[in-house]
Amino acid sequence: MSKYEIESMSHGAYAISTDPDSGKKIFAENACPGDILELEIYDERKDFSFAHITELVSKSDLREEDPKCKLHKICGSCQWQHIKYEEQLNFKKQNLLDLLKQNQVDLSNFGDLDENISVTGLDDPWHYRNKVIYPVSSVKSTGRVMAGYYKRKSNDLINIKYCPIQYEIFDQVIDRLKELCTEYGIHDPLLRHMLLRASHDQSELLISFIVRGKLLSEADLEAIEKIFEQIYGEYEQLKVCTLNINDDSTNVILGKETRLVKGERDFIYDQIKDVKVKISTSSFFQINNKQFTNILDSIIGYVKEIKPLQVLDAYAGLGSISLNLAKSLPEMKFEAFEINSSAVADAHENILENELNNLNYIEASAEDYFRSLEAEFDLIILNPPRKGCTNKVLNEIVARDEVKDIVYLSCNPATLARDIKYLEKKSDFVLQSIKAFDMFPHSFHLESLVWLSRATDSNL
Ligand SMILES: C[S@@+](CC[C@H](N)C(=O)[O-])C[C@H]1O[C@@H](n2cnc3c(N)ncnc32)[C@H](O)[C@@H]1O
């Protein structure tokens, strides 16, 4: 069997080598640049192949000696845990730069890219996830309930007992929920997922069971009430237990209907930078409070430098960005829109809770909002989902001459690079600043923040 040297990391789970004979790229999981490996090709395509490691001939110095999680090689959640944390940050930066270059984004303002663009890491890159959603399965012969993540590229569930990237309290509570569900006979296919969410200090906890409504009998409902009643008495942090109904067969996890089953309110409170936020079961909330606080500091910094008259926060969720901007900059006026009605309801209460009178919040899709927009914003903050913005939305933005600046926060460097290039091509937007933040340590994912301005004589 031939030996291969690993050269780089891909924009996903794979590391890359090149077949010296054919010149074809070979993609292998759990490999690290600098490794010399024996590989077995299991999927050969026209231009590249996929391979398994059969032997680690010589280990790279960039490998993590002792990964925290025993399941990291198979679990779909942490694809890069076998790489030293500092090196993960370097590979993420390289991937971001590669994508910007592949999309031919104009980087001429940035001089030495390696020097001038960095990824902000975390001093402690563990126990950062404030929310988990575990799919549920059960052992058919015994009825024992299991919950965890899927194995990579498979529908086989790993019954997780310990996960070092999520808040510590989740391990114990999920374990107890599995015991109670086994005792009361609540499992798949009725119970699809367990969702847990906690405030950053873990003083407030929310549990939701996502169930198929069509399969939910009166007896099941009673059993779920008993499970929630029992666990509510065991954890003083537990404030909310909800049932979310999802009968769809798509991969969208949460359904539209959420019912409060136990608790005095159907949301938890958290603090994000300077504002208190209310978070319901199905509202989007950034997963890593510490790193999101760093991002908010940068966004506030940009806004202070830009000094806009009117700011729009687009794809605003429950308002984490605009609430903080409105609080830090009381002399400015802000508007925000979001498609998810639960997040918008949370946002309205968050505005009242934080006594803000300079933020207007609207429920709308981006497409509808921009089509009927009359107000004139000179700064637009974009934070779309992974798929990025549609051309329709970007066209509406570039057509408005009053929009002088865009601050774009993205969890997907590929769609971010695509959208920056589109803005450069369609209009005279110029990239002013690029920052990246490691919001998802040990995975290949990266959060990036850029600022673009309309070209003027001074920034050309
Ligand atoms: C990445 S999250 C950002 C949320 C918010 N900026 C924050 O930091 O918490 C993207 C948000 O866009 C919303 N969204 C998705 N598609 C949308 C659309 N077509 N129009 C408006 N909002 C949309 C989602 O519901 C989600 O809340």
Side-chain angles (χ1 to χ4, degrees), residues 143-339:
R144 187 166 73 91
V145 173
M146 302 186 295
Y149 290 119
Y150 288 119
K151 276 189 192 164
R152 291 185 204 161
K153 289 179 278 172
S154 124
N155 285 331
D156 295 345
L157 190 98
I158 311 172
N159 187 33
I160 291 183
K161 292 230 150 234
Y162 162 73
C163 172
I165 62 165
Q166 68 197 26
Y167 284 176
E168 275 145 316
I169 189 171
F170 294 157
D171 289 335
Q172 321 165 16
V173 176
I174 291 171
D175 228 37
R176 184 67 183 125
L177 284 172
K178 286 185 216 168
E179 274 174 20
L180 289 167
C181 285
T182 303
E183 187 182 329
Y184 286 96
I186 295 297
H187 49 71
D188 58 321
L190 166 71
L191 181 56
R192 302 176 70 156
H193 292 88
M194 291 177 183
L195 177 154
L196 277 82
R197 171 170 251 168
S199 59
H200 74 285
D201 58 3
Q202 299 176 39
S203 63
E204 300 242 326
L205 180 65
L206 174 153
I207 295 173
S208 189
F209 279 1
I210 298 147
V211 296
R212 287 184 168 82
K214 283 184 199 142
L215 302 182
L216 185 67
S217 66
E218 277 302 314
D220 293 328
L221 193 55
E222 263 176 44
I224 291 172
E225 281 167 0
K226 283 186 183 145
I227 292 170
F228 284 167
E229 186 74 41
Q230 194 145 338
I231 196 145
Y232 194 82
E234 293 174 15
Y235 288 90
E236 61 172 338
Q237 306 93 317
L238 183 54
K239 307 292 182 221
V240 189
C241 299
T242 65
L243 201 58
N244 177 273
I245 313 292
N246 188 359
D247 281 309
D248 290 351
S249 44
T250 64
N251 57 3
V252 176
I253 293 177
L254 284 158
K256 289 209 162 49
E257 185 190 345
T258 302
R259 302 179 198 161
L260 178 67
V261 179
K262 183 77 194 162
E264 285 168 15
R265 45 183 158 92
D266 61 358
F267 56 87
I268 54 167
Y269 282 113
D270 201 356
Q271 179 82 21
I272 185 80
K273 200 171 153 56
D274 296 328
V275 297
K276 187 172 174 187
V277 284
K278 170 195 148 167
I279 314 167
S280 302
T281 303
S282 54
S283 298
F284 175 91
F285 189 62
Q286 302 281 356
I287 212 83
N288 183 330
N289 294 48
K290 174 92 186 57
Q291 198 59 284
F292 190 57
T293 303
N294 293 334
I295 294 173
L296 284 171
D297 287 339
S298 285
I299 295 177
I300 293 169
Y302 286 150
V303 177
K304 283 184 174 162
E305 196 173 335
I306 295 168
K307 299 191 183 60
L309 296 171
Q310 291 221 66
V311 183
L312 174 67
D313 179 15
Y315 308 90
L318 54 76
S320 304
I321 297 176
S322 37
L323 290 163
N324 270 290
L325 284 169
K327 180 103 180 180
S328 308
L329 303 162
E331 69 288 359
M332 283 187 193
K333 291 256 174 272
F334 299 89
E335 183 158 294
F337 74 81
E338 159 63 42
I339 201 169

